[in-house]
Amino acid sequence: TAVRRPSPITVQSENTVYSDEFITSTFFNRGADVTVADGQFAVKPTVQPYQFQTKRAVSKTGLMMIGVGGNNGSTLCATILANRHNICWHTKNGLQQPNYVGSVLRASTVRIGAEPATGNEVHVPVSDVLPMVHPNDLVLGGWDISGVPMDKAMARAKVLNYDLQRQVAPHMAALGKPLPSIYYPDFIAANQEARADNLVPGTDKQAHLEHIRADIRKFKEDNELDRVVVFWTANTERYSDIIPGVNDTAENLLEAIRASHSEVSPSTLFAVAAILEGEPFVNGAPQNTFVPGAIDLAEKKQSFIGGDDLKSGQTKLKSVLAEFLVNAGIKPLSIASYNHLGNNDGRNLSAQRQFRSKEISKSSVVDDMVNANRLLFKAPDVSKSGKTDKGEHPDHIVVIKYVPAVGDSKRAIDEYYSEIFCGGRSTINIFNECEDSLLATPLILDLTILTELLTRVKYRKVEPGVEGSFRPLYSVLSLLSYMLKAPLVKPGTEVVNALSRQRNALESFLKACIGLEGNSDLLLETRIW
Ligand code: NAD
């Protein structure tokens, strides 16, 4: 069922080999080892060759969303169907075509080089760099604790223009009702209870796990899929407590599920089901679905996971502005963020424990920029307070309020108050009106399509005299960071929040897989005679 798409790019180099099945590239990973002693930095450049092998045939891919009947889930289904059936709709501004604006993969470009005769730069859509699934081809399905059929769920969400809803409704109705889901009331806000009418019965978590695994298998078989991406876009849950012996290792977590332990959340249960089925799982909400035992299980099963929390509006801008200020040598003293929104997500977040998950996810976003500039921010004083001192940081506050009237049209207000030259002060205020689900939908698509691609890429280290075999990438897909508010990374490695660095990493990786060097903005030819 997998399809091989013709590639519009051919790299003519001894480092890139095309076969019917694979694109194989050799890539030189360049870095530097730095030794710091007595204020001196001894820097030794390093280079390590790797080979990447990308399977050319894209998988026939299904997207199973948990929370498919919500604002994001229903908007995603309706907009894919509008694109697939080329449904145009009337607005007060005229006729609107469906499109994928807001998708990094389908609506942004990568520079691959320049034409020798003119020196003009050549850009291609990101989705042309390697063979990727087209969003129109995703097979859609999923679960929801609300049994409202998908056409009615779209109407309930109040996101899409009426003329689009009217035309896409029959296609949405054909998707039917979401599959019954797992509901443990303790994990989401009490105000969601009235929605919960479509549930897998019982309280036995092992039986629930097997039920969800069977759903994934059946969806895969019924639709003759090679790959199913399982995606949490359900309500934000409270944090799970990390309890030694319960959710700290893969074995303990599986045992806790067998014992129906109260601290195993629905999202962790879905993640475990996907991992055990060998299908990737992405968490689009802020809670700690990936307890240490879940990450351990993904590593052991060599399954892929990614998360946490879609980075759609306020935080995306913050990961640009904080980087801009700090890299410009300006010192943010405080960042104060307010949000109000009126959709069901906002309603759920009006409960303290669910708000807390979102607050944590929104709070760490400036850490790496601050840590990279100890000229502006004092480094932790290890001698005084040991590991608890995190060094100097800007004050950072996040407030979220539920205001039903504004619906899905979230308002985000941010003040950046900074120290400038010789004790001066600068204040930047941003008022950002986000159409929440229309910002989130393209991110879900990008995450799904990239995840499918990353399951087809293998690598090996090139070492003299050793012909190692190709291995899959590491289980935690940190290359997805650009679309995520609190990126999950390999335990023990540093999180990169700065948006431009996240984008560079992604571009460089895609290019490396076809044997091209990463981004160079040096443009040396333009600077010399
Ligand atoms: P929503 O409330 O409209 O949809 C969530 C859906 O999940 C609902 O239909 C609900 O019935 C269902 N649900 C709850 N618990 C479930 C369970 N255990 N199993 C199956 N279904 C369940 O919310 P939304 O606006 O679509 O947002 C979805 C999630 O994405 C939220 O957690 C939100 O915080 C997160 N998020 C959204 C954005 C954005 O811009 N829209 C950005 C970042 C994160």
Side-chain angles (χ1 to χ4, degrees), residues 71-72 144 181-182 195 234-236 309 312 344-345 358 436:
N71 281 25
N72 287 348
D144 205 295
S181 193
I182 312 287
R195 267 173 109 100
N235 287 123
T236 297
D309 205 8
S312 53
N344 188 52
D345 179 30
K358 202 55 137 189
D436 236 9

Side-chain angles (χ1 to χ4, degrees), residues 21-33:
E21 214 181 337
F22 299 113
I23 303 173
T24 308
S25 67
T26 304
F27 169 73
F28 298 90
N29 195 33
R30 294 178 203 280
D33 289 338

Side-chain angles (χ1 to χ4, degrees), residues 66-73 143-146 156-157 179 181-184 188 192 195 232-237 266-267 270 284-287 309-313 343-346 348-349 358 408 410 435-440 485:
I66 307 121
V68 67
N71 281 25
N72 287 348
W143 304 263
D144 205 295
I145 55 170
S146 157
R156 175 178 61 187
L179 295 168
S181 193
I182 312 287
Y183 176 54
Y184 305 146
I188 58 173
Q192 298 298 312
R195 267 173 109 100
W232 182 273
T233 182
N235 287 123
T236 297
E237 297 175 333
S267 66
F270 272 95
Q287 71 278 337
D309 205 8
L310 304 171
K311 181 162 64 183
S312 53
N343 55 18
N344 188 52
D345 179 30
N348 181 62
L349 293 175
K358 202 55 137 189
D408 207 58
K410 177 165 84 189
E435 294 292 311
D436 236 9
S437 303
L438 294 179
L439 290 179
K485 202 140 46 207

Side-chain angles (χ1 to χ4, degrees), residues 4-26 51-57 112 128-131 510-516:
R4 210 189 109 190
R5 295 180 187 285
S7 167
I9 300 175
T10 313
V11 178
Q12 297 166 340
S13 148
E14 59 183 16
N15 291 332
T16 311
V17 178
Y18 294 88
S19 72
D20 267 358
E21 214 181 337
F22 299 113
I23 303 173
T24 308
S25 67
T26 304
Q51 279 193 322
F52 291 111
Q53 185 193 62
T54 308
K55 200 168 158 205
R56 302 184 73 174
I112 50 166
D128 277 354
V129 179
L130 283 172
L510 296 177
K511 283 180 165 180
C513 291
I514 54 170
L516 295 181

